[in-house]
Amino acid sequence: MQGCARGQLDMEGALTARDRVGIQDFVLLDAHTSETAFLDNLKKRFSENLIYTYIGTLLVSVNPYKELDIYSKKQMDIYMGVNFFELPPHIFALADNAYHTMLAEANNHFILISGESGAGKTEASKKILQYYAVSCPSTTLLDNVRDRMLLSNPVLEAFGNSKTLKNDNSSRFGKYMDIQFDIQGDAVGGHILGYLLEKSRVVHQNHGERNFHIFYQLVKGGEEDLLHQLGLESNCQHYSYLVQGECANVASINDKNDWKTVRNALSVIDFDERDIQHLLGVIASVLHLGNVQFEPDSKGYAMLNNSAELLWVSTLLGVNVQVLQEGLTSRKIEAKTDEVLSPFTVDHAIYARDALTKAIYGRTFTWLVNKINDSMENKDSSRKTVIGLLDIYGFEVFYVNSFEQFCINYCNEKLQQLFIQLTLKSEQEEYEAENIGWEPVQFFNNKIICDLVEEKHRGIISVLDEECLRPGEATDLTFLERLEEKLDSHPHFVTHKLADKKTRKTLERGNFRLLHYAGEVTYCVVGFLSKNNDLLYRNIKDVMRQSKNSIVRECFASKESDGRRRPETVASQFKSSLLGLTDILMSKEPWYVRCLKSNESQQPGQFDDVLVRHQVKYLGLMEHLRVRRAGFAYRCHYDVFLQRYKPLCPATWPYWRGVAAEGVEVLVQHLGYLPDEYKMGRTKIFIRHPRTLFATEDAFEVCKHDLASRIQAQYKAYWQKGQFRRQKEAATKIETCWRGVQARKAKGRRQWAVKVIKKFIKGYMARGEAKTTDNSEYLAFVRQNYLNRLKDNLPKMVLDKTSWLTPPPVLTETSEILRQLHMRLMVRKYIRGITAQQKAQLQLKGITSVIFKGKKDSYPQSVSQPYVDTRISEQDINMKVLQMIRHEGIKYSIPIVKYDRNGFKARPRQLILTQTAAYVLDDAKIKQRVLYTTLKGVSVSTLSDGLIIFHIPSEDDKQKGDLIMQCDHLFEALTKLSVVANKQSAINVVQGSVKFQMKVGKEGIVEFSSGQESMVYKDKNGHLMVVSTRTRAR
Ligand SMILES: Nc1ncnc2c1ncn2[C@@H]1O[C@H](COP(=O)(O)OP(=O)(O)O)[C@@H](O)[C@H]1O
Ligand SMILES: [Mg+2]
């Protein structure tokens, strides 16, 4: 019961799901004696595809007949090294537990896989092997061994399995395989023991069954060349050994593919080409032998009717065809010193032929096992531990059961016996070890049936052997009679004769019936003697010993053929081999896998209640459970139990400081266990009813949540505090760093400022000097500063001559250049901006300036007064006059005041300038016409008056003399005149007084002065006085 205590922790945890998928360990089934409850649980799980259930450490497996995705590498990884009960039941869990227990305890183990034919034993054993191959540590060297171990399977299955009515891949031999592990747990070698191959199948198959797979694989899958070489046709129907069951093709079997697998496997497991060739030669020769037919000759003796097949046999086996023929049709009889040939009848010959075939095949199978063993053998002698895998043919019942079924069922009987012994033993030992009183369990012990079969002198095998060996006419029927004599009152043995009336109806005369542990089986005695004898005549053995086929030669070279003693019968051999097996197993620690068939028709998803119930019954699962529960449903190491349930009691939570056992006592007292409900062993507590455990477990579930939230809360608080502290520390650190950075920055800035200011001051002090390193920056700054300021404060108008910024001394020159440039720019802009009219005006003003600027007082005020084209419009000039002078082109006209020459009387007149002359008009009269050519000069004063004097030459009387006028727009009128008449140079600005001509020979004087009031008058001295107001100082 290894691992049980260790792993219980989580088993119960998973029990919360027990309602849905049933419980995963029958030990915890409340109604543990109820078969119905047992079956219900199995069925519930089966319908959820949970095919595995434990009874303690025993694994119950129900064949699902469909691929389940539970054998992948991923699954293997999950189960690797995990405690047995921590995960759902699985074949991997069992394999892993066995492996780790083996490593921990350094002892040998075996896994007994039992169940009836088709229940899944072989599959289970393969899964276990695969698990070890994948999960054990490996090296390249070991990989080799591992491959061979894995690949030995398909080869052995090809030669030893066949389709039966129960199973399409039924093992027809027993197989015990040791997997050897070194101290590190590496799988380093393997060894196989084969048990009693059902070789009669080579020559005979019941309807619906096949011969061994290898024949079909070779015939269907063999390459053309190969078949040709072996003299075979690619058609099973050609071979009488392959067609008796009439089912050479089976839907679930792909012989062609299997052939490839087997052929490849043979190469991997160290078979050289010659071995393979000879092995296939044997297979082919069996097929040819099956086709060898006999006919009676004239004396009724057997005679070959087809020598071609025999020729192939002789070729393939490398024996002389004549000798072979002789061996098949006659036997040698020793008569004292002579040897005589005794010919066979046809039946006898067929019997001899079949005997030969069976011998060849059977021995070749043994050779094959040995060969595989050689290839898996680990040659170093270091210490190893083993795990044995026992996959043997399961209990089987057919319509007709013969010697083979007898042996197979006997074998199962023995294994059941072993199982009972070991289970009881271990359970009793545990109770003893724990010092708890053993309460005997009632269960069916099949020892009585084992004895019935194997007891010396009285047992069926003894009787059979006696019949086989005794002189005289022994037949299958005499054997039956003997049995009836010896076993007439045995409760498990019935024959037609011994049976009561009712049973007799179900029994034929040639049958006997055994009441096996697994049910009744009726055996037909026909063939028992010959099969038990397994007789092969000496002369044919001799032929075989000379075979050139090395396998055949080797197989027949044994001592047995030399000795005169009769060889041991098949049943005795089998019996002793089983005894040997029992010894092997008894010395090891057992693990059990009990396989159940879910239905007879190999259908997925069908759970046949009756069938399963029957198996549960005969496999003794209920008994096993009862034994496991003898008194107590559950046991657990104190420390494990305490560790799990201590939160349920204040005294044990969170720590129990004392001895674990005492802690458990306190704990269960607190939980209110009644004295009858539990017992305290030496290291374990035993609990009688699952309900007690479940109640505890449920309480734990509730408490667990409580605990979990408390722990969670504590942890959260702890975590949060830590988090807060860390954040705070981080914040402080960042702050410090940041402050440092800021301070360093500020310091840098201050230092920089000091430098800049110093430099500035130095520069300022040295600003007047030539450029040096000290002042260059300052000067640059001053320059830049001035230029920047200048840029924003440039004068906007040409006339603005004052707002130009005063430059610093270094920029005096530059400033002047800039100023001029700016001025020019503004002028240019101005010029570009003015109209033609403005331009003309300015030109006129320019002329005015040339003439008068600085000369006449009133000039400055006139500058801003714009000139007009003319001051009298044409409508205001007399029409008559206009007509007279128009042709000269009127350029300008203006009202004036004319002063008479004599009295200086003021008269309003119009002055008109044409292209050629100036006219003085008094309405319709032209008072005076002055041709420009005759105009000598024009005088004006330096003062602000508007007086103009035209000096005209007066050679004759007609001439009126000089013209004295006053005009409000003096500068405009004179400028126009100077332009029209080109008289610029003729205009004189005179100071004080000017002379003028009144008439020929008479001169007058005009005196200019300035006073309070402007006026013009004739002075007493006859001078014309012109007074003008003083204009503002220039
Ligand atoms: N674990 C399993 N998963 C799926 N199918 C299985 C399983 N075990 C057995 N089978 C099916 O049942 C058939 C018979 O199983 P096998 O192991 O050969 O029976 P046994 O060796 O007990 O006679 C297999 O060929 C396979 O189809
Ligand atoms: Mg099998």
Side-chain angles (χ1 to χ4, degrees):
M1 300 301 124
Q2 302 88 336
C4 156
R6 263 188 292 145
Q8 235 127 29
L9 273 180
D10 285 272
M11 169 178 68
E12 286 92 39
L15 290 176
T16 40
R18 61 188 174 245
D19 289 339
R20 190 173 60 84
V21 295
I23 50 164
Q24 55 184 28
D25 190 338
F26 282 115
V27 167
L28 296 173
L29 199 62
D30 215 12
H32 74 278
T33 50
S34 156
E35 217 170 69
T36 312
F38 192 101
L39 277 167
D40 272 357
N41 194 49
L42 267 189
K43 193 172 182 176
K44 221 187 235 178
R45 294 175 66 73
F46 184 80
S47 63
E48 295 276 342
N49 282 332
L50 299 167
I51 60 166
Y52 295 119
T53 312
Y54 294 133
I55 305 178
T57 51
L58 176 145
L59 181 72
V60 180
S61 155
V62 187
N63 190 343
Y65 286 116
K66 66 178 172 191
E67 297 295 327
L68 299 178
D69 183 27
I70 53 170
Y71 303 110
S72 58
K73 168 83 174 59
K74 213 169 128 195
Q75 282 283 323
M76 292 186 185
D77 291 343
I78 291 175
Y79 278 91
M80 230 171 266
V82 175
N83 273 334
F84 197 51
F85 293 104
E86 284 180 22
L87 293 168
H90 201 291
I91 187 90
F92 293 158
L94 183 121
D96 191 74
N97 199 18
Y99 174 73
H100 285 286
T101 313
M102 174 200 74
L103 281 183
E105 299 176 0
N107 54 3
N108 298 323
H109 292 250
F110 75 91
I111 302 173
L112 179 98
I113 307 168
S114 47
E116 65 187 64
S117 181
K121 299 180 296 298
T122 303
E123 291 298 322
S125 84
K126 284 194 263 189
K127 301 290 189 271
I128 294 172
L129 196 63
Q130 276 161 10
Y131 182 75
Y132 290 142
V134 171
S135 67
C136 294
S138 91
T139 62
T140 349
L141 185 78
L142 299 178
D143 280 349
N144 233 334
V145 175
R146 193 167 298 181
D147 288 347
R148 289 173 185 179
M149 270 196 263
L150 284 176
L151 287 176
S152 68
N153 249 332
V155 176
L156 284 178
E157 284 192 8
F159 284 82
N161 288 23
S162 75
K163 179 203 176 331
T164 67
L165 289 172
K166 305 276 176 190
N167 181 352
D168 288 351
N169 182 33
S170 179
S171 319
R172 307 316 295 169
F173 69 109
K175 179 179 154 197
Y176 172 79
M177 180 177 188
D178 263 341
I179 308 164
Q180 300 160 348
F181 296 91
D182 67 8
I183 288 184
Q184 283 99 46
D186 301 351
V188 291
H191 189 85
I192 293 170
L193 288 175
Y195 293 94
L196 192 62
L197 177 74
E198 184 202 47
K199 57 190 179 186
S200 62
R201 182 170 295 272
V202 184
V203 300
H204 174 77
Q205 307 95 41
N206 288 325
H207 193 263
E209 302 201 346
R210 296 208 311 181
N211 210 321
F212 295 101
H213 297 322
I214 186 67
F215 295 109
Y216 305 91
Q217 291 171 359
L218 175 62
V219 170
K220 292 187 197 172
E223 300 74 15
E224 212 172 294
D225 277 0
L226 177 66
L227 294 182
H228 185 73
Q229 215 179 310
L230 300 171
L232 295 179
E233 304 261 345
S234 178
N235 182 356
C236 296
Q237 302 307 317
H238 272 74
Y239 302 101
S240 59
Y241 280 164
L242 302 186
V243 296
Q244 297 166 36
E246 293 180 23
C247 60
N249 297 321
V250 185
S252 68
I253 303 174
N254 187 335
D255 291 306
K256 272 192 185 171
N257 273 0
D258 292 347
W259 164 255
K260 286 189 193 127
T261 312
V262 170
R263 183 64 188 76
N264 170 51
L266 285 174
S267 317
V268 177
I269 342 177
D270 247 7
F271 281 58
D272 60 30
E273 277 310 308
R274 203 185 65 133
D275 284 336
I276 294 173
Q277 201 187 335
H278 285 177
L279 185 62
L280 298 180
V282 171
I283 303 303
S285 68
V286 166
L287 292 177
H288 286 299
L289 267 174
N291 285 358
V292 169
Q293 301 295 329
F294 305 95
E295 277 179 357
D297 66 4
S298 53
K299 291 180 203 155
Y301 294 131
M303 189 181 75
L304 270 161
N305 76 346
N306 177 358
S307 55
E309 295 283 8
L310 193 71
L311 216 56
W312 270 112
V313 178
S314 88
T315 314
L316 291 168
L317 298 186
V319 293
N320 182 297
V321 67
Q322 230 64 50
V323 183
L324 180 64
Q325 185 172 355
E326 198 180 278
L328 284 174
T329 52
S330 60
R331 64 184 282 209
K332 262 183 199 151
I333 298 177
E334 290 171 36
K336 295 204 175 143
T337 50
D338 270 354
E339 285 183 336
V340 198
L341 276 184
S342 155
F344 292 152
T345 61
V346 170
D347 285 350
H348 206 153
I350 290 174
Y351 172 81
R353 178 199 68 182
D354 287 352
L356 174 64
T357 316
K358 286 193 282 182
I360 291 177
Y361 191 81
R363 289 171 193 223
T364 301
F365 185 76
T366 310
W367 175 88
L368 193 69
V369 173
N370 292 337
K371 184 82 186 163
I372 289 173
N373 279 337
D374 285 348
S375 93
M376 297 192 300
E377 187 188 335
N378 182 272
K379 297 194 175 71
D380 87 72
S381 60
S382 61
R383 199 176 119 69
K384 288 171 201 80
T385 48
V386 307
I387 292 178
L389 266 184
L390 185 66
D391 167 28
I392 215 149
Y393 17 53
F395 185 84
E396 62 186 19
V397 190
F398 291 110
Y399 182 68
V400 177
N401 302 289
S402 182
F403 181 73
E404 289 79 13
Q405 279 69 47
F406 172 75
C407 290
I408 288 172
N409 293 341
Y410 161 54
C411 168
N412 280 277
E413 208 68 70
K414 285 294 282 180
L415 292 175
Q416 173 69 6
Q417 172 67 143
L418 180 82
F419 170 71
I420 290 170
Q421 283 176 4
L422 289 175
T423 326
L424 271 180
K425 200 176 101 206
S426 74
E427 196 66 8
Q428 239 167 344
E429 276 170 3
E430 162 123 306
Y431 276 64
E432 251 165 53
E434 290 292 329
N435 216 358
I436 291 195
W438 170 250
E439 301 169 20
V441 194
Q442 284 308 309
F443 60 90
F444 173 69
N445 190 332
N446 70 334
K447 183 163 186 309
I448 183 169
I449 308 172
C450 293
D451 290 346
L452 168 67
V453 177
E454 65 182 11
E455 218 180 357
K456 268 189 189 149
H457 310 303
R458 291 191 54 206
I460 296 173
I461 291 177
S462 281
V463 176
L464 180 60
D465 281 359
E466 264 172 45
E467 278 303 287
C468 287
L469 300 178
R470 83 177 161 88
E473 277 297 298
T475 64
D476 294 326
L477 282 176
T478 59
F479 159 62
L480 185 62
E481 282 163 14
R482 271 297 159 81
L483 284 181
E484 285 169 336
E485 279 167 28
K486 292 234 171 180
L487 301 168
D488 65 346
S489 58
H490 200 285
H492 290 265
F493 178 82
V494 206
T495 64
H496 185 85
K497 189 175 145 194
L498 300 178
D500 56 31
K501 261 191 187 165
K502 201 178 136 205
T503 321
R504 187 170 289 170
K505 284 185 196 148
T506 64
L507 266 170
E508 309 239 340
R509 277 182 198 282
N511 293 352
F512 67 92
R513 179 175 294 165
L514 293 186
L515 307 183
H516 283 288
Y517 77 105
E520 294 180 352
V521 184
T522 307
Y523 298 96
C524 170
V525 289
V526 175
F528 261 63
L529 256 59
S530 67
K531 282 174 181 168
N532 189 34
N533 265 328
D534 194 27
L535 213 55
L536 191 61
Y537 297 117
R538 211 144 63 81
N539 54 329
I540 196 78
K541 278 192 212 165
D542 291 341
V543 177
M544 290 300 126
R545 221 175 307 154
Q546 280 145 28
S547 166
K548 295 210 171 55
N549 181 312
S550 60
I551 298 175
V552 175
R553 196 171 61 243
E554 212 176 293
C555 286
F556 284 85
S558 55
K559 285 165 261 147
E560 138 249 345
S561 50
D562 297 333
R564 301 284 152 188
R565 260 193 58 217
R566 290 196 70 154
E568 242 193 326
T569 62
V570 171
S572 296
Q573 271 182 43
F574 189 51
K575 182 177 133 186
S576 42
S577 69
L578 285 185
L579 274 178
L581 176 64
T582 313
D583 287 345
I584 291 173
L585 299 184
M586 284 298 254
S587 68
K588 299 182 164 76
E589 296 293 319
W591 298 83
Y592 308 102
V593 180
R594 298 295 235 175
C595 299
L596 306 181
K597 280 178 93 153
S598 48
N599 61 75
E600 279 289 9
S601 40
Q602 308 177 30
Q603 289 302 307
Q606 278 184 23
F607 190 92
D608 180 338
D609 290 44
V610 177
L611 182 73
V612 178
R613 182 185 289 263
H614 178 66
Q615 295 171 87
V616 166
K617 204 175 211 161
Y618 78 68
L619 282 173
L621 295 185
M622 296 306 297
E623 272 102 352
H624 182 79
L625 178 56
R626 276 228 297 286
V627 171
R628 274 295 271 110
R629 284 280 302 265
F632 298 97
Y634 174 84
R635 65 208 64 176
C636 183
H637 277 290
Y638 288 131
D639 44 359
V640 177
F641 189 84
L642 189 62
Q643 181 62 28
R644 183 170 181 83
Y645 296 117
K646 64 182 181 180
L648 292 176
C649 168
T652 50
W653 176 255
Y655 304 109
W656 173 257
R657 307 263 176 210
V659 182
E662 287 165 15
V664 170
E665 185 69 61
V666 172
L667 174 62
V668 298
Q669 291 295 337
H670 177 78
L671 292 174
Y673 282 23
L674 298 175
D676 187 39
E677 284 180 343
Y678 72 102
K679 273 225 169 72
M680 303 291 284
R682 283 199 314 110
T683 63
K684 294 176 183 174
I685 176 173
F686 287 67
I687 295 174
R688 194 175 294 278
H689 309 294
R691 60 174 179 273
T692 313
L693 180 70
F694 289 156
T696 310
E697 181 58 29
D698 291 345
F700 177 61
E701 278 293 314
V702 174
C703 167
K704 211 160 62 176
H705 285 116
D706 233 45
L707 275 181
S709 16
R710 253 195 283 164
I711 293 172
Q712 218 173 31
Q714 289 248 338
Y715 179 75
K716 270 188 193 157
Y718 164 79
W719 193 82
Q720 285 294 351
K721 264 185 219 156
Q723 186 78 349
F724 175 74
R725 208 194 56 238
R726 276 194 298 279
Q727 278 174 356
K728 206 176 149 186
E729 274 168 16
T732 318
K733 206 177 254 178
I734 294 172
E735 222 169 47
T736 318
C737 287
W738 180 239
R739 281 206 196 118
V741 170
Q742 295 283 68
R744 274 191 292 280
K745 257 195 198 165
K747 188 181 160 201
R749 269 203 307 273
R750 272 199 306 275
Q751 283 173 343
W752 174 80
V754 167
K755 253 193 239 163
V756 170
I757 294 170
K758 262 190 192 167
K759 215 170 192 181
F760 190 82
I761 295 171
K762 260 192 190 173
Y764 175 75
M765 292 189 314
R767 68 189 181 281
E769 296 167 15
K771 190 172 160 185
T772 64
T773 41
D774 277 345
N775 66 5
S776 64
E777 238 173 81
Y778 176 80
L779 292 181
F781 164 77
V782 165
R783 265 187 218 114
Q784 191 181 10
N785 189 31
Y786 173 72
L787 292 175
N788 271 337
R789 270 189 308 127
L790 186 61
K791 174 186 73 157
D792 297 330
N793 293 298
L794 285 170
K796 306 245 173 343
M797 290 197 315
V798 186
L799 296 180
D800 178 0
K801 304 228 164 94
T802 54
S803 68
W804 188 259
L805 286 181
T806 320
V810 274
L811 281 178
T812 323
E813 208 178 326
T814 316
S815 164
E816 185 48 34
I817 296 170
L818 285 174
R819 199 186 60 76
Q820 284 170 8
L821 280 174
H822 182 66
M823 195 54 72
R824 242 187 265 166
L825 187 73
M826 279 196 300
V827 169
R828 226 165 102 137
K829 262 192 203 160
Y830 179 79
I831 289 172
R832 294 217 169 148
I834 59 175
T835 58
Q837 235 172 349
Q838 281 172 315
K839 192 178 170 187
Q841 175 93 218
L842 280 176
Q843 278 169 343
L844 289 180
K845 287 277 180 183
I847 293 167
T848 315
S849 147
V850 170
I851 303 169
F852 298 105
K853 191 177 173 191
K855 293 178 185 162
K856 190 166 168 67
D857 279 356
S858 54
Y859 172 73
Q861 278 112 25
S862 79
V863 173
S864 61
Q865 287 163 18
Y867 294 162
V868 297
D869 283 345
T870 185
R871 295 220 174 242
I872 304 166
S873 65
E874 282 199 10
Q875 292 96 299
D876 295 332
I877 301 173
N878 187 283
M879 281 288 280
K880 221 170 81 195
V881 178
L882 201 58
Q883 271 170 4
M884 278 194 297
I885 63 174
R886 185 180 259 154
H887 65 276
E888 287 180 20
I890 297 170
K891 295 292 175 193
Y892 181 71
S893 49
I894 187 169
I896 51 159
V897 175
K898 181 199 166 226
Y899 295 95
D900 289 345
R901 272 154 292 235
N902 293 321
F904 298 124
K905 219 162 168 210
R907 308 210 188 262
R909 294 287 182 265
Q910 289 176 327
L911 176 69
I912 291 175
L913 302 182
T914 68
Q915 195 70 46
T916 51
Y919 293 88
V920 178
L921 304 183
D922 176 17
D923 199 17
K925 280 184 261 168
I926 299 174
K927 285 285 189 187
Q928 200 163 346
R929 180 176 184 244
V930 183
L931 274 172
Y932 298 142
T933 43
T934 61
L935 188 62
K936 251 184 3 197
V938 180
S939 295
V940 294
S941 80
T942 59
L943 301 178
S944 305
D945 56 75
L947 205 84
I948 303 167
I949 304 165
F950 279 15
H951 298 284
I952 304 155
S954 46
E955 284 99 39
D956 56 69
D957 276 350
K958 284 176 213 152
Q959 287 293 342
K960 286 188 171 173
D962 291 350
L963 195 57
I964 302 166
M965 303 167 282
Q966 195 185 12
C967 169
D968 290 342
H969 302 281
L970 179 142
F971 297 108
E972 181 182 285
L974 290 186
T975 303
K976 296 261 178 186
L977 175 75
S978 69
V979 172
V980 176
N982 197 19
K983 285 288 178 203
Q984 200 173 318
S985 53
I987 298 171
N988 298 309
V989 183
V990 293
Q991 200 163 12
S993 63
V994 70
K995 280 185 185 161
F996 73 94
Q997 208 158 19
M998 278 189 204
K999 53 185 162 189
V1000 178
K1002 190 178 178 192
E1003 273 184 349
I1005 288 178
V1006 181
E1007 263 182 61
F1008 297 108
S1009 61
S1010 44
Q1012 289 294 315
E1013 211 180 329
S1014 58
M1015 56 188 147
V1016 179
Y1017 63 91
K1018 187 178 178 178
D1019 199 21
K1020 291 166 216 150
N1021 58 10
H1023 294 177
L1024 183 64
M1025 300 303 291
V1026 178
V1027 182
S1028 59
T1029 50
R1030 199 179 283 280
T1031 47
R1032 260 176 286 139
R1034 261 177 282 168

